Amino acid sequence: MDKQIILDAFMFRHACKEFDPKIQISDEDFLFILETARLSPSSFGFEPWQFLVVQDMNFRRKLLPHTWGGKLQIPTASHFMVCLAMKAPLLKFDSVGIADFMRQIQELPEDRITARTEYYATFQQSDFRLLDSDRAMFDWACKQCYIAQANMMTAAALVGIDSCPIEGYAQDKVDEVLAEDFGVDLNEYGVAYMLAFGYRAKPPKRKTRRPLEQMVRWF
């Protein structure tokens, strides 16, 4: 692929504040976007994410009062997503889910599972100290989720689809809605971010970024 095509996609991508509600993303294109999330890398390959694609406007309206950063995006987006990040009970090195993941998804033999669990325990206990608090574990999981977010937004831009990442929400209130209306177990999952997709309603502002020499140091 011509490198300029990729750079043009990065120039095209912006945080779209309002979408044209009359234009919908095709099923084929949105499945392509989701596939780039599925293929995204994560620490230890444990994929600590779950994606809720919220197409029913009744469900979107439940989120809207608590999502100040999505007042225009939620009603107008072709597709709207809530990314959930796993919490400590699902990610702790000795959890049943992690062992099952290595066995069933990664298809590792038992000796590899034992060795990998030891490495993972050291990583959590001392290397990153993720067991110091549940928040530390959740924040680490959210970092992995943002890799998938970036890949989805870039993939969308490459095929001419706009997106907007959203962090402007009242976390506790959104959690209540997710638990009551979406059946999310808050002991296991929390919101990492929201992400809207569609086609822009109006041209974006000029993209501004620091020059490369201000942001890179060579040694």
Side-chain angles (χ1 to χ4, degrees):
M1 178 181 284
D2 187 334
K3 296 182 183 67
Q4 190 58 48
I5 293 175
I6 300 173
L7 292 176
D8 287 345
F10 276 86
M11 289 298 295
F12 171 87
R13 192 219 61 79
H14 72 291
C16 186
K17 303 304 182 186
E18 184 176 5
F19 301 93
D20 185 340
K22 299 186 297 297
I23 309 177
Q24 295 294 299
I25 300 169
S26 70
D27 291 343
E28 178 185 358
D29 282 348
F30 197 69
L31 287 174
F32 158 73
I33 292 170
L34 290 176
E35 184 69 358
T36 66
R38 191 181 75 86
L39 296 175
S40 294
S42 58
S43 187
F44 288 85
F46 287 151
E47 305 173 30
W49 47 60
Q50 186 174 70
F51 302 102
L52 309 180
V53 182
V54 187
Q55 295 304 89
D56 188 319
M57 282 298 174
N58 291 320
F59 282 101
R60 290 194 195 184
R61 279 192 283 269
K62 292 179 184 295
L63 294 168
L64 188 58
H66 315 300
T67 310
W68 53 266
K71 293 300 183 185
L72 294 177
Q73 297 94 325
I74 290 177
T76 63
S78 169
H79 288 66
F80 187 75
M81 172 188 293
V82 179
C83 176
L84 303 178
M86 293 180 184
K87 293 183 177 180
L90 296 182
L91 289 175
K92 198 165 179 288
F93 69 91
D94 57 357
S95 73
V96 173
I98 288 297
D100 286 346
F101 189 94
M102 288 190 283
R103 189 171 292 113
Q104 297 171 13
I105 304 300
Q106 296 179 332
E107 299 180 344
L108 299 177
E110 291 302 318
D111 60 329
R112 287 282 308 281
I113 291 173
T114 299
R116 195 169 171 81
T117 299
E118 292 177 2
Y119 296 141
Y120 190 44
T122 300
F123 174 80
Q124 290 189 337
Q125 291 169 337
S126 57
D127 292 345
F128 268 46
R129 299 184 62 177
L130 299 180
L131 304 184
D132 285 1
S133 70
D134 288 345
R135 182 71 197 206
M137 185 77 81
F138 179 67
D139 287 347
W140 174 73
C142 286
K143 290 179 182 179
Q144 318 310 312
C145 294
Y146 275 83
I147 299 172
Q149 181 195 69
N151 287 342
M152 285 189 282
M153 291 192 298
T154 300
L158 281 164
V159 294
I161 294 171
D162 290 296
S163 60
C164 185
I166 298 169
E167 286 187 321
Y169 52 84
Q171 193 167 46
D172 290 345
K173 295 294 185 181
V174 169
D175 280 349
E176 289 178 13
V177 172
L178 292 175
E180 293 175 9
D181 297 292
F182 291 76
V184 173
D185 186 340
L186 298 179
N187 292 315
E188 296 183 343
Y189 289 96
V191 182
Y193 54 79
M194 301 177 188
L195 185 55
F197 295 94
Y199 294 93
R200 62 190 66 178
K202 54 188 176 183
K205 297 178 181 178
R206 181 178 67 88
K207 188 184 290 289
T208 59
R209 293 293 189 275
R210 287 181 293 160
L212 201 62
E213 58 269 19
Q214 287 187 15
M215 58 177 286
V216 178
R217 297 175 64 198
W218 294 80
F219 294 92

